[in-house]
Amino acid sequence: MSEHFHFQPEDRPRLDSKYLLRWEKSQDAYVLLYPEGVIKLNTTAAEILKRCTGEATAANIATELKALFVYNADIENSIYKFLEITHGKGWIRS
């Protein structure tokens, strides 16, 4: 990783307890539910958040998703950026 991020490879991101990730058939997508509303997620965001359970390290998440999204050579940096953004929004904790 060429940039400095709050999340380090050994960190174990987890979804904040006020959020609920679930599949919504009516939206044909994963959504993030919270007391004030709902956020429809794209495939990549959903795959990252599904792994934010507090069990997998950020490095493990990146490794799994590299295998899943083989067409994106720079996905590791993108994952760490996403973790930073979602942490800033309060969706996840470290």
Side-chain angles (χ1 to χ4, degrees):
M1 294 179 313
S2 60
E3 299 179 40
H4 176 73
F5 295 108
H6 168 83
F7 279 92
Q8 297 301 306
E10 65 277 1
D11 290 338
R12 297 176 185 273
R14 69 186 182 286
L15 203 57
D16 187 271
S17 61
K18 69 181 171 188
Y19 292 91
L20 175 65
L21 177 67
R22 78 173 190 200
W23 176 259
E24 280 291 328
K25 187 175 181 177
S26 63
Q27 302 233 10
D28 194 32
Y30 275 93
V31 296
L32 194 57
L33 301 171
Y34 61 107
E36 295 84 23
V38 61
I39 301 163
K40 184 176 179 180
L41 302 169
N42 68 29
T43 303
T44 307
E47 289 299 328
I48 295 170
L49 289 178
K50 285 189 327 191
R51 290 163 172 77
C52 290
T53 62
E55 295 177 19
T57 64
N60 294 138
I61 292 169
T63 299
E64 277 187 45
L65 293 175
K66 276 184 188 178
L68 188 61
F69 296 105
V70 293
Y71 59 85
N72 188 340
D74 194 32
I75 194 164
E76 185 172 5
N77 249 359
S78 297
I79 291 166
Y80 280 92
K81 284 180 185 177
F82 181 82
L83 292 173
E84 292 301 309
I85 291 167
T86 56
H87 182 264
K89 292 180 181 215
W91 298 1
I92 62 170
R93 301 283 171 230
S94 56

